[in-house]
Amino acid sequence: MDGEGSAAGVGALLAAALRVYERSYGGEAQVAVCAPGRVNLIGEHTDYNQGLVLPMALPLVTVIVGSSTSGQSCSVETITDSADEPRRVDFDLPTESSPLTRGRPAWANYVKGVVQHYRAQPLPAFKAVIASSVPLGGGLSSSASLEVAVYTFLQQLCPDDGDKVAKAVACQQAEHTHAGVPCGIMDQFVSVLGKEGHALLIDCRSLEATPVPLADPALVILITNSNVRHSLTGSEYPSRRKQCENAAAILGKSSLRDATMQNLEDAKDRMDSVTYQRAHHVIEEIARTAQAADALKRGAYAEFGRLMVESHNSLRDLYEVSCPELDVLVAAAMEVDGVFGSRMTGGGFGGCTVTLLQADATERTIKHIQEKYSGRPTFYITTPSEGARVLSGMKS
């Protein structure tokens, strides 16, 4: 069981970051902020199709502590486990003639991207330390958590206009340009706008968000990390997005958000089978997400769970982004009494599953999954949490 999904977990991260800051830079950090990862309850690979998604912000966060400094040179150190070395990077603030570009280590590209796309000037140079409890490559959006934390940190050094949607969009742009992932808006949006005790139904076309209550004490949201790592910077994610764009073009729609299953069936002979499958998933998943949000509002947990399983099966069979490890985790969870539903969450090819279950079924569900899964899963018992915020109590 992981204990970092709590206020104590945030406090421990903060204390660790402050200690490293003092050791590396001397003196005390002026600013401390955090931004959460997220789990998507349903609505997978719909955000870049202008569809609906239903994520919630997690208690797992990225913490940044730091201070402004004179000159043009910025220095950032991470104490989070990463395959990339070094753990410290130095770069100059961008100028019109010399923008920040991608490079190594890879984790620093998220930082540099946000600095490049920050919406207020003049931005001072800074020194900072990053710590995170969001698992890397787990499908819980460690990348958006880092981007939004960096933006929130920069807001303390050089305040912008406070527009939260524009903040999320700037962080999304950073991922496009500097991490090379053509992601939708969901991850950054919920990391900025997450609300304690609520999931967030996000319309990725209008960028409207509707809080959906999710605070029933008899319910638990269990995240199971397969600990199979994946990277979305390979060809799979961009290829799925391109297939969806091709399908929309064949259907004469600006995005698959505007398409119906009847539209798709009518055009089936004009597209290859793979393109058809991808569009089939997205069109039905958008409808499923609307139904699921309605079920959650009504407290119809069994109905919500059924839709979760339908989503997983579609991601496995039509969108082809699951993997054997995720399939085993979902199947094992669904064998336990008291489990409403389970599905893979995130981009796929490893990472995590999310399971909705009765609170009193938690222990036996974890035990059953451990018996059935040949790997070494990590479990997080989570609740919907607050979005990005400034932290107080900065003495380590």
Side-chain angles (χ1 to χ4, degrees):
M1 203 78 57
D2 197 284
E4 291 192 85
S6 64
V10 175
L13 281 177
L14 175 59
L18 289 170
R19 285 193 298 271
V20 172
Y21 182 91
E22 190 170 353
R23 187 180 69 225
S24 295
Y25 301 116
E28 294 182 353
Q30 299 169 343
V31 172
V33 303
C34 73
R38 64 95 188 96
V39 65
N40 191 23
L41 300 174
I42 195 165
E44 215 68 75
H45 290 278
T46 53
D47 59 344
Y48 53 82
N49 289 289
Q50 297 188 5
L52 303 174
V53 292
L54 187 66
M56 68 180 215
L58 291 172
L60 304 165
V61 299
T62 298
V63 167
I64 299 182
V65 304
S67 308
S68 59
T69 186
S70 57
Q72 294 295 304
S73 181
C74 302
S75 181
V76 184
E77 185 170 346
T78 179
I79 58 176
T80 300
D81 286 341
S82 174
D84 295 293
E85 295 295 343
R87 294 194 170 205
R88 180 163 163 173
V89 68
D90 298 282
F91 57 87
D92 286 344
L93 289 170
T95 63
E96 202 167 317
S97 60
S98 183
L100 291 173
T101 56
R102 294 167 64 180
R104 305 292 297 179
W107 64 264
N109 290 327
Y110 299 96
V111 179
K112 292 191 284 187
V114 175
V115 171
Q116 182 66 50
H117 291 284
Y118 189 67
R119 300 175 55 253
Q121 295 297 329
L123 194 61
F126 58 87
K127 47 196 177 183
V129 171
I130 299 166
S132 185
S133 57
V134 188
L136 300 174
L140 301 181
S141 207
S142 56
S143 56
S145 174
L146 173 55
E147 291 153 2
V148 173
V150 172
Y151 198 104
T152 306
F153 172 73
L154 298 179
Q155 285 178 303
Q156 312 316 305
L157 305 183
C158 177
D160 67 354
D161 59 11
D163 184 326
K164 290 187 173 183
V165 173
K167 173 179 177 177
V169 170
C171 292
Q172 179 197 26
Q173 289 173 329
E175 186 140 348
H176 288 185
T177 59
H178 286 69
V181 178
C183 63
I185 191 64
M186 169 178 65
D187 298 353
Q188 293 82 5
F189 202 103
V190 72
S191 187
V192 172
L193 287 142
K195 188 175 178 185
E196 188 173 357
H198 294 76
L200 210 59
L201 179 65
I202 304 170
D203 184 326
C204 298
R205 178 167 57 188
S206 67
L207 299 185
E208 291 174 297
T210 306
V212 180
L214 184 55
D216 187 335
L219 275 188
V220 156
I221 295 138
L222 177 68
I223 298 170
T224 305
N225 191 345
S226 68
N227 289 311
V228 175
R229 293 278 292 273
H230 67 87
S231 171
L232 291 183
T233 52
S235 63
E236 296 290 353
Y237 189 106
S239 74
R240 294 301 187 283
R241 183 164 185 158
K242 186 66 178 169
Q243 288 158 350
C244 292
E245 290 168 353
N246 290 343
I250 291 167
L251 297 174
K253 308 290 186 184
S254 59
S255 74
L256 289 176
R257 171 66 179 276
D258 296 315
T260 64
M261 281 304 299
Q262 188 60 56
N263 295 150
L264 185 62
E265 292 304 322
D266 291 345
K268 188 173 182 178
D269 60 352
R270 290 189 281 125
M271 61 180 72
D272 62 73
S273 61
V274 172
T275 303
Y276 170 83
Q277 284 183 199
R278 305 298 187 251
H280 189 165
H281 164 74
V282 170
I283 293 167
E284 287 197 333
E285 184 79 348
I286 292 169
R288 260 193 297 271
T289 304
Q291 293 165 20
D294 180 64
L296 206 55
K297 289 174 188 171
R298 292 185 280 110
Y301 303 136
E303 181 183 341
F304 188 92
R306 176 179 57 77
L307 292 164
M308 290 177 78
V309 174
E310 287 179 10
S311 170
H312 179 81
N313 293 344
S314 180
L315 288 158
R316 179 192 66 203
D317 300 334
L318 297 176
Y319 221 67
E320 298 181 288
V321 291
S322 188
C323 64
E325 295 88 351
L326 294 176
D327 296 341
V328 168
L329 290 175
V330 168
M334 293 308 300
E335 290 169 354
V336 182
D337 287 341
V339 170
F340 294 113
S342 186
R343 59 183 288 277
M344 62 154 278
T345 186
F349 308 106
C352 295
T353 62
V354 59
T355 304
L356 185 73
L357 67 161
Q358 295 170 356
D360 59 10
T362 306
E363 277 190 37
R364 65 176 179 267
T365 302
I366 289 171
K367 186 170 183 290
H368 187 71
I369 290 172
Q370 287 172 326
E371 289 170 354
K372 290 282 188 172
Y373 183 60
S374 61
R376 295 176 62 85
T378 310
F379 299 95
Y380 305 90
I381 299 168
T382 65
T383 52
S385 301
E386 234 8 75
R389 55 201 184 270
V390 177
L391 297 173
S392 56
M394 286 175 47
K395 297 290 182 188
S396 50

